Amino acid sequence: MKAILGKKIGMTQIFTPEGALIPVTAIEAGPCYVTQVKTHDTDGYEAVQVGFGAVKPVRVNKPMQGHFDKAGVAAARYLREFRVDDASEFTTGQTIAADVFEAGDKIDVTGTSKGKGFAGTIKRYGAQRGPMSHGSKHKRKAGSLGAAGPSHVFKGHHAPGRKGGAKTTVQNLEVVKVDLENNLILVKGAVPGAKKSLVVLKTSVKSK
């Protein structure tokens, strides 16, 4: 499995040689550095830990600074771990750059969606409103919460609450272009998260 950490830059558009317009999201992917390699012998499973994003050493506590020094890499703002089939393919201190993917690859992008605050059922779930006539008193209310028989509201019922700000994955996105010189990956379509937020790019698990 191929994976890399990145920062969402924003959306733009590019044109194909045939003149077709493609909406893309620009992601600053890497460079990431391997901070730890986990194997069956040492940890009981195969995985690789990578760091991304520069941070001042003063903002890293001593245990984490020792972790980075042991790996021989600079302090990183983000650390993530990826399961792999064979961790022996990686070495501590190795650099993972944007060219881990190439144009045409199918990937899954994970990020934290934009927080929308407290929202009602209409905005949160697309529920229908009530009659707008004078005196109806049910213009934007949630409506019925269930039958009287169970005497309680079932779990998962659509109700007002906090919208967004949750871990979200968009699957089967296509890599349109890789710019290794500027550490950029252009992905067709939109990815979750606000600008400058952390995103995780991994090989798609459902691509045909």
Side-chain angles (χ1 to χ4, degrees):
M1 184 194 72
K2 297 184 292 185
I4 194 171
L5 303 180
K7 181 174 68 173
K8 179 179 176 179
I9 303 300
M11 291 199 69
T12 183
Q13 58 190 26
I14 62 174
F15 292 89
T16 65
E18 294 77 21
L21 184 149
I22 303 177
V24 296
T25 301
I27 299 174
E28 181 185 338
C32 297
Y33 303 99
V34 176
T35 56
Q36 186 178 3
V37 177
K38 299 186 176 182
T39 63
H40 280 290
D41 297 333
T42 59
D43 299 274
Y45 64 99
E46 300 281 325
V48 58
Q49 184 190 82
V50 299
F52 168 71
V55 63
K56 295 180 180 179
V58 70
R59 298 187 181 276
V60 179
N61 58 28
K62 289 185 177 180
M64 288 306 303
Q65 187 60 57
H67 182 66
F68 292 127
D69 292 341
K70 182 179 179 181
V73 299
R77 183 178 299 274
Y78 305 104
L79 282 179
R80 292 295 184 273
E81 184 178 293
F82 301 107
R83 291 289 189 104
V84 294
D85 295 329
D86 185 11
S88 62
E89 299 176 358
F90 299 89
T91 58
T92 304
Q94 176 183 342
T95 302
I96 301 176
D99 59 354
V100 67
F101 294 109
E102 58 185 18
D105 286 349
K106 295 289 186 177
I107 62 173
D108 295 340
V109 181
T110 302
T112 302
S113 61
K114 292 182 179 179
K116 305 296 179 66
F118 192 91
T121 55
I122 293 179
K123 180 176 180 178
R124 195 180 187 198
Y125 296 108
Q128 293 184 344
R129 60 168 174 79
M132 297 297 288
S133 58
H134 178 68
S136 67
K137 298 183 180 180
H138 283 83
K139 294 181 174 61
R140 295 179 67 91
K141 291 189 176 181
S144 174
L145 298 180
S151 298
H152 68 273
V153 179
F154 291 117
K155 290 183 178 181
H157 186 84
H158 287 184
R162 187 174 67 88
K163 176 179 172 65
K167 182 180 179 181
T168 308
T169 300
V170 178
Q171 298 179 326
N172 260 349
L173 295 176
E174 180 183 351
V175 176
V176 177
K177 183 179 180 181
V178 176
D179 185 355
L180 181 60
E181 183 178 353
N182 296 309
N183 297 319
L184 288 178
I185 293 180
L186 301 184
V187 180
K188 184 177 181 180
V191 303
K195 294 179 180 179
K196 299 183 179 180
S197 63
L198 177 71
V199 291
V200 180
L201 288 68
K202 293 191 290 188
T203 303
S204 178
V205 296
K206 294 183 179 178
S207 62
K208 298 181 180 179

